[in-house]
């Protein structure tokens, strides 16, 4: 799930942009470039080693109704929102984030995206392991905090995502995040340590 994605994001197929972003075709080409990056290759290899099929259509470009960069659901795989993406780095970052969700879904036989704690845990891991909250990215978003920026960023992004889950209220999302924070933040699989 991306920062603002819910278990079933509002998606519709289209090949044109809406005043911003890229066409589906342009975005699909960006996804293909992303598949050649070392981090994406590593995550796909680890998914395969964990026994998960990584099909060619696991990651696809779509036109999204919701304001989000991408999302993951077991039924749809990973979607990259062409109309909300402009740069290759955005595609790369979103693919990495969503692959961590796919990896979590793969390794946990009973992962339930309607469970606020399960959702929060995967968001914590994706935020921590993907580099979403690297200082440079936060600075470019307008957040200028020097110390503690990473955990603050992850918490903010986890809350945005879990609150968007129709099964989780704001209170349930916050309680779930706090309950699983230490365990999930320190779970760096499939990496030996946080990249």
């Amino acid at each position: 799930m991306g920062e603002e994605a819910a278990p079933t994001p509002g998606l519709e197929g289209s090949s044109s942009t809406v005043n911003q972003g890229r066409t589906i075709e342009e975005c699909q080409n960006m996804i293909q470039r992303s598949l050649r990056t070392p981090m994406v290759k590593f995550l796909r290899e680890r998914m395969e080693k964990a026994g998960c099929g990584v099909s060619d259509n696991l990651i696809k470009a779509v036109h999204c109704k919701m304001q989000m960069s991408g999302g993951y659901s077991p039924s749809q795989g990973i979607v990259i929102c062409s109309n909300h993406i402009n740069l290759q780095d955005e595609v790369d970052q979103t693919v990495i984030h969503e692959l961590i969700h796919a990896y979590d879904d793969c390794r946990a036989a009973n992962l339930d995206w309607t469970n606020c704690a399960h959702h929060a845990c995967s968001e914590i891991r994706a935020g921590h392991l993907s580099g979403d909250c690297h200082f440079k990215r936060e600075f470019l978003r307008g957040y200028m905090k020097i110390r503690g920026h990473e955990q603050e960023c992850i918490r903010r992004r986890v809350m945005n995502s879990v609150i968007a889950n129709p099964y989780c209220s704001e209170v349930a999302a916050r309680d779930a995040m706090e309950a699983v924070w230490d365990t999930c933040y320190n779970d760096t699989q499939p990496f030996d340590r946080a990249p």
Side-chain angles (χ1 to χ4, degrees):
M1 311 265 160
E3 176 181 346
E4 301 167 23
T8 307
L11 306 171
E12 63 181 19
S14 172
S15 62
S16 63
T17 60
V18 180
N19 297 329
Q20 62 182 5
R22 302 290 182 138
T23 65
I24 287 178
E25 293 80 13
E26 289 170 328
C27 187
Q28 200 61 51
N29 288 335
M30 294 168 92
I31 291 168
Q32 292 306 309
R33 284 191 291 279
S34 184
L35 294 176
R36 295 188 293 268
T37 64
M39 179 82 91
V40 171
K41 284 181 178 180
F42 174 83
L43 287 167
R44 289 182 60 157
E45 288 169 5
R46 290 306 182 266
M47 285 181 65
E48 289 172 358
K49 284 184 179 179
C52 299
V54 183
S55 67
D56 289 341
N57 63 350
L58 173 67
I59 307 168
K60 55 192 159 293
V62 298
H63 179 88
C64 297
K65 293 177 187 176
M66 293 173 62
Q67 179 65 37
M68 58 191 221
S69 56
Y72 168 76
S73 74
S75 62
Q76 294 179 325
I78 295 170
V79 296
I80 306 299
C81 299
S82 64
N83 53 318
H84 300 298
I85 293 279
N86 286 300
L87 304 173
Q88 182 65 48
D89 182 64
E90 293 171 305
V91 173
D92 295 347
Q93 196 62 39
T94 303
V95 167
I96 291 166
H97 181 104
E98 302 307 335
L99 275 171
I100 292 168
H101 291 316
Y103 176 82
D104 286 351
D105 204 32
C106 165
R107 74 180 181 145
N110 60 351
L111 184 69
D112 177 2
W113 290 103
T114 65
N115 179 308
C116 303
H118 290 193
H119 185 163
C121 185
S122 190
E123 287 297 341
I124 291 165
R125 285 178 31 75
H128 181 54
L129 301 174
S130 69
D132 285 344
C133 291
H134 184 275
F135 176 75
K136 176 184 78 170
R137 290 183 194 290
E138 277 291 88
F139 182 78
L140 293 173
R141 291 180 190 123
Y143 296 97
M144 312 229 196
K145 187 173 181 179
I146 303 290
R147 289 208 164 123
H149 78 275
E150 190 220 21
Q151 288 193 17
E152 185 177 292
C153 168
I154 293 169
R155 287 177 185 279
R156 182 183 72 245
R157 294 170 66 89
V158 168
M159 286 300 294
N160 287 343
S161 182
V162 180
I163 288 170
N165 182 330
Y167 298 95
C168 303
S169 67
E170 184 172 348
V171 171
R174 187 166 313 283
D175 290 349
M177 178 180 67
E178 295 304 331
V180 301
W181 180 267
D182 288 337
T183 300
C184 300
Y185 185 82
N186 291 310
D187 178 0
T188 61
Q189 290 300 315
F191 306 97
D192 293 331
R193 61 182 173 77

